[in-house]
Amino acid sequence: TASCDPESGCVYEDVDCEDDDKCYEYECDDDIGCLSYLIDCDDGNECTDDSCDPEVGCVNDERDCTGSSKCFEYDCSPEHGCTKTDVHCDDYDVCTDDCCNHDTGCEYTDVDCDDYNECTTEECVSKAGCVYTQVICNDNDACTDDSCSPSEGCTTTPVDCDDDNKCTDDTCDSEYGCSNIFIDCNDYDYCTIDRCFPCSGCSNQPVDCNDYNECTDDHCSRNEGCVYTNVVCDDYNMCTNDVCLSDSGCEYNDVGPCFCDDDNACTEDTCDPTVGCVNINKVCDDSDPCTEDYCDRRHGCIYEPTEC
């Protein structure tokens, strides 16, 4: 500024361009005069909020980068400012479902391995995930068929040991299973033929003891079987020859006149049914006093003339 002093004349004093506002820089230009420039408070750090306070000048307050979600990690980079990074909730366990809740952060829920199959057991292995093992439906009873139904689990059905053979006794043993033992059709009667037919079972048919011999009496003894007794062809007639022919049976043949012939012309030979042959001496009497009567074995009665 210029002024004039009476004693000294013109006086030139520097103008004070300073002001109380510390947000400006002040200077004086010879041509223009006082000038003020707004201070640049940018500290080149994106992690500060830069401002200017007239009383103190530049203010560089640390920027608050925190957020409300617990699913992010908040940070600040001097170059880029506030940053947020997803929280890493992976617990490297395939047996958990990993997720992030904005209010509570990481949450881990057990994986549901249920396959709704009663024929498997389920478990979860950290490195492999769900593992399903087939249920073994064995009741250690050989008399049951063991199976598994996905909806019901293990079921057992009795084994059918019927071999459709009437000649076997079908049973089941819990340890060894079906047993088909041939039945004994023996009725301990020698007068029957004991057999078994698969479709009908035991058959005990009477034994046919017929030997087709008319000279035997055929019958059966329970304890001995067929018994053949010779037929006795005796008609109690001493004058018949009793024989038996296998084709026709007993025959009674008249012995005939020669049967009782004793080769003695001096006997009368006959047959009596009760006693058999009867040989009665002939009476050689011709009632002739002039003959000598006698009998010769070869010629029979002889009548030789005599002197009278």
Side-chain angles (χ1 to χ4, degrees):
T1 61
S3 65
C4 186
D5 185 289
E7 293 180 358
S8 56
C10 288
V11 178
Y12 299 96
E13 295 179 354
D14 290 333
V15 174
D16 185 8
C17 291
E18 293 292 332
D19 190 78
D20 291 335
D21 190 343
K22 295 187 177 182
C23 291
Y24 291 92
E25 289 182 348
Y26 302 95
E27 66 177 26
C28 190
D29 183 274
D30 291 338
D31 295 324
I32 301 174
C34 286
L35 298 174
S36 62
Y37 302 96
L38 186 64
I39 293 174
D40 182 8
C41 290
D42 186 358
D43 59 1
N45 185 348
E46 293 295 328
C47 292
T48 58
D49 285 327
D50 304 328
S51 63
C52 190
D53 186 323
E55 293 182 359
V56 296
C58 286
V59 178
N60 305 106
D61 293 325
E62 185 176 348
R63 182 175 293 179
D64 182 10
C65 290
T66 58
S68 62
S69 174
K70 293 189 177 182
C71 293
F72 299 106
E73 291 181 349
Y74 300 96
D75 200 358
C76 191
S77 165
E79 295 179 356
H80 303 99
C82 288
T83 61
K84 64 177 182 179
T85 307
D86 290 336
V87 171
H88 186 66
C89 289
D90 189 352
D91 61 357
Y92 301 100
D93 184 349
V94 295
C95 293
T96 59
D97 284 328
D98 308 332
C99 67
C100 192
N101 183 305
H102 288 287
D103 294 327
T104 59
C106 289
E107 294 182 351
Y108 305 97
T109 307
D110 289 339
V111 169
D112 183 8
C113 289
D114 190 356
D115 60 356
Y116 302 100
N117 184 348
E118 296 297 328
C119 295
T120 59
T121 57
E122 304 92 7
E123 65 174 328
C124 194
V125 180
S126 294
K127 293 184 178 180
C130 291
V131 176
Y132 302 95
T133 304
Q134 195 71 26
V135 171
I136 299 175
C137 295
N138 185 0
D139 62 357
N140 296 313
D141 186 346
C143 294
T144 59
D145 282 329
D146 307 324
S147 60
C148 194
S149 164
S151 60
E152 299 178 13
C154 289
T155 59
T156 56
T157 306
V159 169
D160 183 7
C161 290
D162 188 357
D163 59 359
D164 295 319
N165 185 346
K166 298 290 185 182
C167 294
T168 58
D169 184 16
D170 307 326
T171 59
C172 193
D173 180 88
S174 293
E175 183 175 357
Y176 300 105
C178 287
S179 174
N180 308 99
I181 300 174
F182 283 100
I183 60 176
D184 183 7
C185 290
N186 188 356
D187 61 358
Y188 301 99
D189 185 346
Y190 283 93
C191 293
T192 59
I193 297 175
D194 305 328
R195 292 184 295 175
C196 194
F197 298 96
C199 59
S200 58
C202 285
S203 171
N204 308 100
Q205 295 295 322
V207 170
D208 183 6
C209 289
N210 188 357
D211 61 358
Y212 300 97
N213 184 348
E214 297 296 329
C215 294
T216 57
D217 183 12
D218 309 331
H219 71 280
C220 192
S221 166
R222 181 181 178 87
N223 297 322
E224 300 178 29
C226 288
V227 177
Y228 304 98
T229 305
N230 290 331
V231 171
V232 178
C233 293
D234 187 354
D235 61 355
Y236 302 102
N237 184 344
M238 302 296 290
C239 295
T240 57
N241 184 20
D242 304 336
V243 296
C244 190
L245 302 178
S246 60
D247 292 336
S248 56
C250 290
E251 289 189 1
Y252 307 100
N253 300 313
D254 194 343
V255 296
C258 295
F259 181 74
C260 290
D261 187 354
D262 60 0
D263 293 325
N264 186 349
C266 295
T267 58
E268 290 287 349
D269 304 326
T270 60
C271 188
D272 182 277
T274 304
V275 298
C277 289
V278 178
N279 307 102
I280 301 173
N281 290 328
K282 291 180 178 179
V283 178
C284 294
D285 184 1
D286 60 359
S287 301
D288 184 354
C290 293
T291 59
E292 184 180 350
D293 305 331
Y294 66 92
C295 191
D296 181 77
R297 289 181 65 87
R298 291 187 63 190
H299 302 96
C301 288
I302 296 175
Y303 308 100
E304 291 184 356
T306 61
E307 294 181 0
C308 292

